[in-house]
Amino acid sequence: MQRPLGAQISHMLKARGVDVIFGIPGVHNQEMYRGIEEAGITHVLARHEQGAGFMADGYARATGRPGVAYVITGPGLCNIMTPMGQAYSDSVPVLVISSCLGDTVSEQGQLHQMRDQEAAAATVSDWSETARTPHAAYQLIDRALAEFQLDRPRTKHISVTIPALEAQAPPPPLVPVTTIGKPYIRQTELHECARLLTRARQPLIIVGGGHRGSGIMIERVAEQTGAAIFTTYAGRGLIRDDHPLYFGASLARSSSADIIAQADLVLAAGTELAEVDLWRKDLGHDCPMIRVDLDQTVLSDRHGASYRYKVDASQFFAALQHETKDATPAVRWRADAVAAQRAAWRAEVEVERPGIASVCDALRAALPDKTMIYSDMTQFAYTAKEVWPMAHPHHWHHPSGFGTLGYAVPAAIGGAVARRDRPTLAIIGDYGFHYTMAELGVAVELGLPLPIILWDNGKLKEIEDSMTRAQIAPNAVIARNPDFCKLAEAFGAYTAAPASLQEMQEAVRTAFAADGPTLIYLTPGIMERAAPSAAHAPSSG
């Protein structure tokens, strides 16, 4: 049946598996809202388009399915561009659909007018296109959804002109029935990889968040070839924390370059080996490298891979474990040396940010199994990413690439919407909370049992420390904070201000059983009552 195109788009998305949309309606995009309820889609009303974008990101990370956001022309799109950039850099499938003006050439001074909305969004997305007809809108939506499955998943943006949204349109095409597969590695190439690994005397595997399959496959390859393993922060949980040859997520430790230099073959899969993975220019290897990734630009980057395979990392390891099953490894890495190095790195973390690791240990011990965590740009999270053993992959989400403040709370809301029957936690600093604190109202409105750990050190402490190291007199690093507990209560949230780690643990357990979000307010003072660090606290998260 004929409907306005805005309504047809919602029906099309529902038919393709989209059941939640995040956004804010406005006079320009209201036609997109005509069909939402009729299509059976749940709409989550954000308080700001930036919050809507982070929610879509958090939903996508929790489910592996696209997170979708509706925004208006001009300022709505500008407001969501920060989350778009975050999802782009972290390979998250987010689809943003905005309205746009039909004519920006012959008319000036229109409401929400931008000079080039399509080009602006293109700077923070894989692509940005404008649909002026129903056919174009349908084609672009199917293109975006297909590419999320086929290629490296990154933000897509579609603008639809207001005249097109308002006009009657035919139904969208039927859901494509073609099964989309990722590029595969040829048998000859697979055999060559296996030969290189089995002949190496001290191979090293580095795996990142691009590996979406089971970590057991990686461990089998490592055990069959005698390889040691690093993961990136995003790859935590893929490898058992007690694996004897697992160096942890410690690539950012400067001395990890010395460890990597000992390898005679490096296999890096599903990772950019980016600045935010290493915090140095070079990985540290002086040997051949095998690179496995879906992104051609990664395969040909500065790290100079000798063997490059454009293939899904999960498919690669699934095939490689069979190819190496009969190998006889000559294990040169020593488990006791790996354990000693990990202990040394943890000690470094504790010296750099005293006391926080103990708080992390206590928090981790209080979480239910398979808690999904969303963290923000805060020293608490920076510490946790290095010392917090993960029992499950893809259960800790951090704004790594773009590095945005204010990510954790709205992203955790998106994750909690996707995981209604499973535990979700947010960790955010006092300054980051200022960015998106209004989204707390959404969590209250939805009745989400979401604990929010608010780490208040009263300043931009990481920046203050950086200024001090650079011999810059710290300035502009302190902002006057509100009474965060009273603020949260004004939204209708629960609050707790524990004075000890035991009280914090009890507050977290209570928060998971609540009928709404709980702000758990922590200050560095809690570290004064912290017990000695437990390097192997009970597994959770």
Side-chain angles (χ1 to χ4, degrees), residues 114-129:
M114 289 179 67
R115 292 179 62 190
D116 196 334
Q117 178 169 303
E118 180 183 303
T123 63
V124 287
S125 55
D126 190 23
W127 49 257
S128 173
E129 301 288 354

Side-chain angles (χ1 to χ4, degrees), residues 6 59 64 91 101 110 124 166 213 242 291 351 378 416 438 474 483 508 524 537:
Y59 179 92
S91 302
L101 296 168
Q110 301 175 80
V124 287
E166 295 172 343
D242 60 356
R291 205 72 187 272
V351 168
T378 173
D483 184 322
V508 169

Side-chain angles (χ1 to χ4, degrees), residues 289-302:
M289 174 187 280
I290 301 172
R291 205 72 187 272
V292 177
D293 208 278
L294 284 174
D295 190 335
Q296 183 63 45
T297 61
V298 169
L299 296 176
S300 55
D301 67 9
R302 70 181 188 279

Side-chain angles (χ1 to χ4, degrees), residues 179-506:
T179 300
I180 298 175
K182 291 182 171 65
Y184 66 92
I185 187 168
R186 294 189 294 269
Q187 188 63 37
T188 54
E189 297 169 333
L190 186 66
H191 181 73
E192 177 67 5
C193 288
R195 185 187 67 82
L196 291 166
L197 279 168
T198 54
R199 288 189 178 183
R201 301 179 68 190
Q202 206 152 326
L204 181 67
I205 295 172
I206 302 174
V207 64
H211 179 91
R212 304 296 299 185
S214 169
I216 294 174
M217 297 183 292
I218 305 168
E219 291 186 12
R220 284 176 181 164
V221 171
E223 289 157 7
Q224 290 162 186
T225 62
I229 311 170
F230 277 92
T231 63
T232 64
Y233 294 139
R236 287 183 304 148
L238 285 168
I239 308 301
R240 290 178 292 113
D241 193 66
D242 60 356
H243 189 285
L245 296 183
Y246 176 45
F247 279 104
S250 301
L251 289 170
R253 293 281 115 195
S254 60
S255 55
S256 71
D258 299 329
I259 302 298
I260 295 166
Q262 298 174 29
D264 60 350
L265 179 72
V266 173
L267 165 58
T271 171
E272 285 184 292
L273 297 178
E275 178 188 35
V276 294
D277 294 319
L278 306 176
W279 293 112
R280 59 180 181 271
K281 183 178 179 180
D282 298 314
L283 179 62
H285 68 297
D286 185 21
C287 64
M289 174 187 280
I290 301 172
R291 205 72 187 272
V292 177
D293 208 278
L294 284 174
D295 190 335
Q296 183 63 45
T297 61
V298 169
L299 296 176
S300 55
D301 67 9
R302 70 181 188 279
H303 296 295
S306 308
Y307 305 87
R308 306 168 184 174
Y309 302 109
K310 186 175 182 181
V311 62
D312 176 68
S314 305
Q315 294 179 4
F316 173 80
F317 278 108
L320 189 60
Q321 67 174 331
H322 293 292
E323 194 71 17
T324 59
K325 67 180 186 302
D326 296 325
T328 304
V331 179
R332 298 279 299 237
W333 299 103
R334 290 177 28 231
D336 60 339
V338 173
Q341 184 61 70
R342 291 192 64 181
W345 282 333
R346 174 167 176 127
E348 288 181 12
V349 174
E350 291 178 332
V351 168
E352 290 167 359
R353 300 188 179 99
I356 297 179
S358 297
V359 184
C360 292
D361 290 339
L363 175 59
R364 178 172 170 266
L367 299 187
D369 187 36
K370 295 188 177 179
T371 298
M372 186 165 283
I373 300 169
Y374 293 83
S375 61
D376 215 89
M377 306 296 282
T378 173
Q379 287 192 329
F380 192 100
Y382 304 154
T383 301
K385 288 195 302 174
E386 295 202 67
V387 305
W388 189 303
M390 295 295 295
H392 306 283
H394 308 297
H395 273 63
W396 189 300
H397 306 294
H398 187 78
S400 296
F402 215 37
T404 63
L405 280 163
Y407 169 82
V409 170
I413 290 171
V417 167
R419 294 164 46 86
R420 284 280 188 168
D421 58 340
R422 287 165 290 178
T424 304
L425 174 82
I427 298 173
I428 195 165
D430 57 305
Y431 205 84
F433 189 63
H434 279 273
Y435 277 56
T436 52
M437 64 174 69
E439 305 305 337
L440 185 60
V442 179
V444 172
E445 196 168 84
L446 298 177
L448 300 176
L450 176 66
I452 300 170
I453 303 296
L454 176 60
W455 182 253
D456 183 5
N457 55 21
K459 59 180 67 176
L460 288 162
K461 186 65 168 63
E462 188 73 4
I463 306 306
E464 181 184 66
D465 292 348
S466 179
M467 285 180 164
T468 300
R469 287 193 299 269
Q471 298 184 345
I472 300 171
N475 59 80
V477 295
I478 297 176
R480 176 168 178 156
N481 283 333
D483 184 322
F484 286 114
C485 288
K486 288 182 179 178
L487 178 69
E489 290 165 4
F491 275 105
Y494 300 105
T495 63
S500 68
L501 297 185
Q502 184 177 359
E503 289 182 13
M504 177 193 72
Q505 291 175 323
E506 186 57 37

